[in-house]
Amino acid sequence: MPRRSPAAVRAARPRRDECAAVDGLSAATVREIRLCERRHLWPGAVARALADWRRLAHGPQRRLRPEVYRADCLCCDAVEHRRILDTALTRLPARAARELRSQVAALDDLFERRTLPDPAADPALPWWQRRL
């Protein structure tokens, strides 16, 4: 693998403003999310995943078909975004997880109401991957 110059490495890192805060969460929870992102994900992962999960849950019905929201590209795959949120929820301290879970749970409920269970899905998959 070719070595990259220090300037290229700095340019590839997210800027501070790309580490978006999630609206409606306390400053302490945002700090915990940023720490979790540094340790287990990447800067801005939770805010982006939550925004994309929200866009899917509130979006048009035609986007709720699995062939639409399950993409070949991980950055476009809504199922991957929900997995990122699940990772954050399991890695955050209890108080921060509870705050984030309140937002995620509302979107989960909406997604669940707008989709149907897939009877052919593998029961070992997370619930959001067993929906049509």
Side-chain angles (χ1 to χ4, degrees):
M1 177 190 245
R3 288 184 56 96
R4 296 184 337 181
S5 70
V9 172
R10 278 192 303 277
R13 281 191 300 194
R15 295 182 317 227
R16 181 172 286 282
D17 58 354
E18 290 179 26
C19 302
V22 178
D23 290 336
L25 298 180
S26 68
T29 297
V30 170
R31 275 193 307 276
E32 292 293 343
I33 287 173
R34 286 187 177 162
L35 183 61
C36 175
E37 288 174 340
R38 274 198 307 265
R39 290 180 177 164
H40 308 288
L41 298 164
W42 57 90
V46 173
R48 166 109 192 257
L50 187 61
D52 288 342
W53 190 241
R54 181 177 290 121
R55 193 175 307 113
L56 177 69
H58 286 286
Q61 190 70 31
R62 69 181 180 277
R63 286 193 190 153
L64 291 174
R65 294 190 321 260
E67 62 272 11
V68 175
Y69 69 78
R70 292 184 183 150
D72 293 334
C73 170
L74 290 180
C75 68
C76 302
D77 188 343
V79 171
E80 177 65 13
H81 296 298
R82 183 57 182 81
R83 188 198 60 75
I84 290 168
L85 292 172
D86 195 53
T87 298
L89 289 169
T90 58
R91 303 273 184 178
L92 286 169
R95 181 176 287 166
R98 193 170 33 253
E99 260 188 79
L100 179 60
R101 190 174 292 112
S102 69
Q103 290 195 11
V104 173
L107 298 173
D108 288 349
D109 290 343
L110 182 58
F111 180 77
E112 197 168 14
R113 282 195 314 266
R114 296 182 70 204
T115 58
L116 298 170
D118 181 0
D122 181 358
L125 292 172
W127 71 266
W128 60 87
Q129 288 185 294
R130 293 179 285 150
R131 306 295 295 177
L132 293 172

